[in-house]
Amino acid sequence: MSQTQVIKVTKDTMKRMYAFYDKNRINKNVPYTDFVAQTGTTTITAYTSGKVVFQGPDAAKTAAKWGNSVPSKGKRNSSSKKNTTTLPANFSQLSVLGSDEVGNGSYFGPVTVCAAYVDKTMVTKLKALGVRDSKELTDPQIVQLSSVIKELIPYKLLIVEPEKYNQIQPKYNAVHMKVALHNQAIHLLLNEIAPTKPEAILIDQFTPEANYKKYVRSEQNQVTEKLYFITKGEQYHVAVAAASIISRAAFLEELDKESKELGMKVPSGAGANSDKVAAAVLAKGGIALLSKYAKLHFANTEKAKKSLQNEIGLNRFL
């Protein structure tokens, strides 16, 4: 039976874990992580906060090698994040506009937000094609599926490149920015499919509903009717899964473009590898170059600066 074990480790232990699981690490875009690894039947997600989550039949045994489980208080906190939205009956078979975003937790690359409309007549076809939670798909599968989906259904994709993100970020915190982008993508898609109207609009929840509505009040073209908010929205309607796949594919394509332009592999996420690449970009073109490819307010920027200073003892790049 699968189980979940959570431990809290020191920075030294995290470094040892990072090295120990070097050959087991997998490329997954999980916000605020140092690494994600797969060893046997156990998945290990190590967060920058020092929290490490082990999932699988042998989770407890694997976790015990590194430390003790966190107090039960953490479990009570997680329960407060359970979905409270009640969806209409037979929701998965309705005509729904779904939206999702990718890239908000990655230091390099853009934030991509997609709204996708799936008419009830297309639900079965999309599922048959394999449209499901993007986390269950490989990157090549995501890119391939995205191109197919975009030929079959209406969608609106917004891409905020790092340079634009850095201009907006001082005025918009991360949540407000995502609210603005979701609202805009949904508004544009509703205009595009008019006079057709979805039976519901499902947003993959990233903030409490009240918080979303607070931020959206400051936006133009506010969409407020038929809105539903639920975490893991792709499990409730294929429209969110389609939006997630399109967003993820666009994010991957932008990372590939950045890699080619910089002449080095640009990683997703915000772990130690991002720090190393950021330091290399700083050495190549200073903060002006880094601002074109990374979200500067992340802690990675300061880490990269310190790393470069320690390595060459110069401030001229910073």
Side-chain angles (χ1 to χ4, degrees), residues 177-195:
M177 189 183 301
K178 286 196 288 185
V179 169
L181 290 169
H182 276 268
N183 180 74
Q184 180 68 354
I186 292 167
H187 166 72
L188 292 173
L189 185 55
L190 285 173
N191 283 350
E192 186 173 301
I193 65 175

Side-chain angles (χ1 to χ4, degrees), residues 40-202:
T41 58
T42 305
T43 300
I44 304 164
T45 307
Y47 292 88
T48 53
S49 64
K51 184 181 291 186
V52 186
V53 180
F54 298 79
Q55 295 173 298
D58 299 320
K61 183 179 178 181
T62 307
K65 298 176 183 178
W66 301 102
N68 298 320
S69 61
V70 298
S72 59
K73 178 183 177 183
K75 293 183 180 179
R76 288 199 300 270
N77 286 343
S78 65
S79 67
S80 66
K81 297 180 181 178
K82 288 182 180 178
N83 293 316
T84 56
T85 292
T86 300
L87 299 176
N90 200 31
F91 187 83
S92 65
Q93 299 303 311
L94 300 181
S95 297
V96 171
L97 188 157
S99 70
D100 198 4
E101 89 287 329
V102 173
N104 185 68
S106 180
Y107 180 58
F108 285 102
V111 172
T112 59
V113 175
C114 180
Y117 174 65
V118 177
D119 184 88
K120 61 180 67 176
T121 60
M122 290 296 296
V123 169
T124 301
K125 183 171 185 177
L126 289 178
K127 287 183 177 180
L129 288 170
V131 178
R132 59 188 188 277
D133 185 356
S134 63
K135 298 181 186 66
E136 298 177 2
L137 302 168
T138 65
D139 289 348
Q141 286 176 322
I142 287 170
V143 172
Q144 183 178 15
L145 256 181
S146 175
S147 63
V148 174
I149 295 168
K150 289 190 287 188
E151 293 294 323
L152 295 175
I153 63 171
Y155 71 95
K156 183 58 64 174
L157 174 65
L158 302 180
I159 300 175
V160 182
E161 301 284 3
E163 193 166 22
K164 182 66 174 178
Y165 179 98
N166 291 326
Q167 293 172 7
I168 299 171
Q169 189 271 325
K171 299 176 184 177
Y172 281 65
N173 62 41
V175 173
H176 191 176
M177 189 183 301
K178 286 196 288 185
V179 169
L181 290 169
H182 276 268
N183 180 74
Q184 180 68 354
I186 292 167
H187 166 72
L188 292 173
L189 185 55
L190 285 173
N191 283 350
E192 186 173 301
I193 65 175
T196 299
K197 292 184 178 181
E199 294 174 271
I201 298 171
L202 182 61

Side-chain angles (χ1 to χ4, degrees), residues 29-41:
N29 182 34
V30 181
Y32 310 111
T33 59
D34 277 331
F35 69 88
V36 179
Q38 181 79 41
T39 174
T41 58

Side-chain angles (χ1 to χ4, degrees), residues 242-253:
S244 176
I245 289 170
I246 295 172
S247 294
R248 176 70 178 164
F251 175 78
L252 292 171
E253 289 164 2

